[in-house]
Amino acid sequence: MHPISGPAPSPWQQRALVPVLVSLGMLVAIISSLGAPLIPTIASVDHVSVADAQWSLTVTMLVGAVATPAMGRLGDGPHRRKVILTGLAVVLIGSLLAALPLGFSCLITGRALQGVGMGLVPLAIATARDSVPPERARSALSTLSLTTAAGVGIGYPVTGLLAQSLGMYAGFWFAVIATTLALIAAAVVLPASPQRPAHPMDVPGALLLTLGMTGLLFALTQAEHWGWGSPRLLVLAAVSVLLLAGWVLQELRTAHPLVDLRLVRDRTVFAAHLTTMMGGIGMYLLISLVTRYVQTPSSAGYGFGSSVVVTGLILVPFSVGSLVAGRVVRVLVRTQPPVRLLPVSCLLSLAALLTFVFAHGGLWEVFVTMALAGLGVGVNFAVTPGLVVGGVPAHETGSAMSFNQVVKYIGYSTGSALSAVILQAATTPGRGLPPESGYRTAGLTGCAVWAATAVVAYFLTRSSAGRTSARVRGGHPALAADNGPVPDGGSLVRPTGAEQ
């Protein structure tokens, strides 16, 4: 445990710390999931297209991709407590903006501010690592790791129930109340920050990543409206790519990068990050497709006309599948090299998309689809932490896992935007709903991506199966769904010089 400044916490504060940290992770998972079931409702209430309404989900994930490493850097020194409390305050302001009926722009601004909360999970895990007694630390980290998967299964039905009973904004008012309680609890319970030197923030890196990712996603969503060959689309895409290239150069040459890209050179680590990003794309591509499909009225020739409550319940099998996958992986890695499970996770996700494309005549089939998707994503998110840890030096664990979080959130935002683009492209001008063939096209696109990812993951990890198996079974962390517990002394935020 690292030295902590300030007075020692009281016994009741020590007992309350883990529940409060878990509540932070659960809050973040619920808030991040507020968008998907409400997308058709947002489009109707705010009189925007469904593709534009999709930004209520995309913008949260996009901000999360940038906020996670930035908050990790800010919270890595002597200011962690202040960063956590400030992050919760920003989420509270965003929740309030989203809850007020002030129009679509205000809603999107609020959802963007809520995305800052996605950077709280790594800080919560780092706090547990530093402040929880060793005999309770591993259990606490495991519980924290499972909250993001469990939160999706809770967030979607809660959102649906509130929206159906009290209106679209009720879910955001729930977020206001939950965030207020979390902020008060954190202010009372969080320990003082560790006594570590602060490193300068990589502001140019953060700006380049934000502008580059925003430009690419905006170009993707506007491609159908502007035309795929329009000059402004091509210019925007080219500028965004140049900005991201500049970000890569900035991260490689600065002394204290936002994300240390040098750690991606190991083939196994690269494969883990690649499948994590594709897992994020596939996860939110499928979630966005399914939530829109089941709410489509049957008069369109497809869909079930389901309420937002039923739509939310469809995501419960996904969470259950993710949790089951975490348990199964723990057993399999005792006898199988973990790298072999990366292609397996891709094939499970491929099976989920194939099931949705060819078998969606009944709601029970959609439930099966989401359970398969949960297994696929759960296996991937359970295996990758151990592979990343096994492929980088011990003192670089935090930076490597921070990058894994970044690519995951980039995958989330890309998958969300991609689903909207494909369905919008299939929609006949003047009609509000895409034909069923649009969903088939989107599903098959996802299938092609998953098949290619499985092949690439297999060839990247084929020669390192034995080496990685020995590393993971020789003492690296027990794996769990999503983030997975990190090894003793590692966290999801970048380590400081004191740790190195």
Side-chain angles (χ1 to χ4, degrees):
M1 295 175 62
H2 298 279
I4 304 295
S5 61
S10 63
W12 75 266
Q13 286 177 314
Q14 292 179 337
R15 290 193 299 270
L17 179 59
V18 172
V20 168
L21 294 177
V22 170
S23 71
L24 291 183
M26 190 68 70
L27 172 69
V28 170
I30 292 174
I31 286 178
S32 66
S33 66
L34 281 174
L38 298 179
I39 288 172
T41 306
I42 291 172
S44 175
V45 171
D46 288 330
H47 307 290
V48 298
S49 68
V50 178
D52 288 340
Q54 187 76 32
W55 273 95
S56 64
L57 180 63
T58 303
V59 71
T60 307
M61 304 304 168
L62 175 62
V63 172
V66 180
T68 296
M71 292 175 69
R73 166 63 71 188
L74 290 171
D76 196 36
H79 308 298
R80 181 186 297 161
R81 174 185 165 88
K82 185 183 299 183
V83 172
I84 293 176
L85 295 179
T86 302
L88 282 169
V90 171
V91 173
L92 177 58
I93 294 171
S95 300
L96 185 60
L97 283 175
L100 295 173
L102 299 177
F104 185 64
S105 298
C106 187
L107 173 64
I108 292 298
T109 302
R111 290 291 289 156
L113 293 177
Q114 285 182 324
V116 171
M118 301 186 77
L120 293 172
V121 174
L123 294 178
I125 292 177
T127 301
R129 181 205 63 188
D130 286 342
S131 304
V132 176
E135 64 273 12
R136 296 174 52 208
R138 186 169 296 279
S139 174
L141 292 174
S142 179
T143 303
L144 278 167
S145 299
L146 294 174
T147 56
T148 52
V152 173
I154 295 174
Y156 279 75
V158 166
T159 299
L161 181 61
L162 290 172
Q164 181 168 295
S165 303
L166 303 173
M168 183 187 83
Y169 296 101
F172 299 112
W173 281 113
F174 169 74
V176 170
I177 297 171
T179 306
T180 301
L181 295 176
L183 179 58
I184 294 172
V188 173
V189 172
L190 284 180
S193 303
Q195 294 178 338
R196 297 173 183 153
H199 290 298
M201 168 60 69
D202 179 20
V203 175
L207 289 175
L208 288 170
L209 177 62
T210 302
L211 294 174
M213 282 300 304
T214 303
L216 276 184
L217 289 175
F218 187 72
L220 183 64
T221 56
Q222 295 300 311
E224 183 65 22
H225 177 65
W226 290 351
W228 288 94
S230 67
R232 57 177 170 173
L233 178 70
L234 297 177
V235 169
L236 177 59
V239 170
S240 301
V241 169
L242 289 175
L243 287 171
L244 291 175
W247 173 69
V248 171
L249 294 176
Q250 167 69 15
E251 300 307 282
L252 291 175
R253 71 185 182 185
T254 187
H256 302 289
L258 195 68
V259 176
D260 192 348
L261 297 180
R262 298 177 183 87
L263 301 178
V264 189
R265 290 177 295 187
D266 183 89
R267 292 176 61 183
T268 300
V269 174
F270 176 75
H273 290 322
L274 173 66
T275 54
T276 294
M277 185 174 68
M278 300 314 300
I281 293 175
M283 174 179 170
Y284 270 86
L285 173 68
L286 183 59
I287 286 176
S288 299
L289 291 176
V290 166
T291 52
R292 285 183 60 175
Y293 186 91
V294 299
Q295 291 184 76
T296 300
S298 56
S299 58
Y302 64 93
F304 305 104
S306 300
S307 66
V308 287
V309 175
V310 174
T311 303
L313 291 174
I314 286 174
L315 273 297
V316 173
F318 177 86
S319 291
V320 173
S322 298
L323 296 175
V324 169
R327 302 292 180 180
V328 171
V329 166
R330 290 187 181 186
V331 176
L332 292 179
V333 295
R334 297 171 185 168
T335 57
Q336 296 293 322
V339 290
R340 291 182 181 171
L341 297 180
L342 284 183
V344 172
S345 71
C346 296
L347 294 177
L348 285 170
S349 298
L350 173 60
L353 275 167
L354 286 173
T355 303
F356 175 70
V357 170
F358 296 107
H360 49 244
L363 272 176
W364 71 270
E365 293 172 322
V366 179
F367 275 86
V368 171
T369 293
M370 296 313 296
L372 277 174
L375 285 172
V377 172
V379 169
N380 175 259
F381 289 173
V383 169
T384 50
L387 297 181
V388 172
V389 168
V392 302
H395 65 275
E396 293 287 5
T397 297
S399 183
M401 286 306 303
S402 180
F403 182 68
N404 193 255
Q405 292 292 101
V406 172
V407 297
K408 182 187 298 183
Y409 293 150
I410 288 174
Y412 287 171
S413 55
T414 303
S416 173
L418 184 61
S419 68
V421 168
I422 296 176
L423 293 183
Q424 183 68 22
T427 303
T428 303
R431 300 194 60 180
L433 296 171
E436 188 174 11
S437 60
Y439 288 91
R440 186 179 304 111
T441 300
L444 290 175
T445 300
C447 289
V449 172
W450 274 122
T453 305
V455 173
V456 172
Y458 172 76
F459 283 106
L460 283 175
T461 60
R462 182 174 56 175
S463 61
S464 57
R467 171 172 55 86
T468 308
S469 175
R471 285 179 176 175
V472 174
R473 293 204 294 266
H476 278 296
L479 302 175
D482 196 28
N483 298 328
V486 293
D488 296 336
S491 75
L492 296 185
V493 294
R494 182 174 171 81
T496 62
E499 289 174 294
Q500 294 177 14

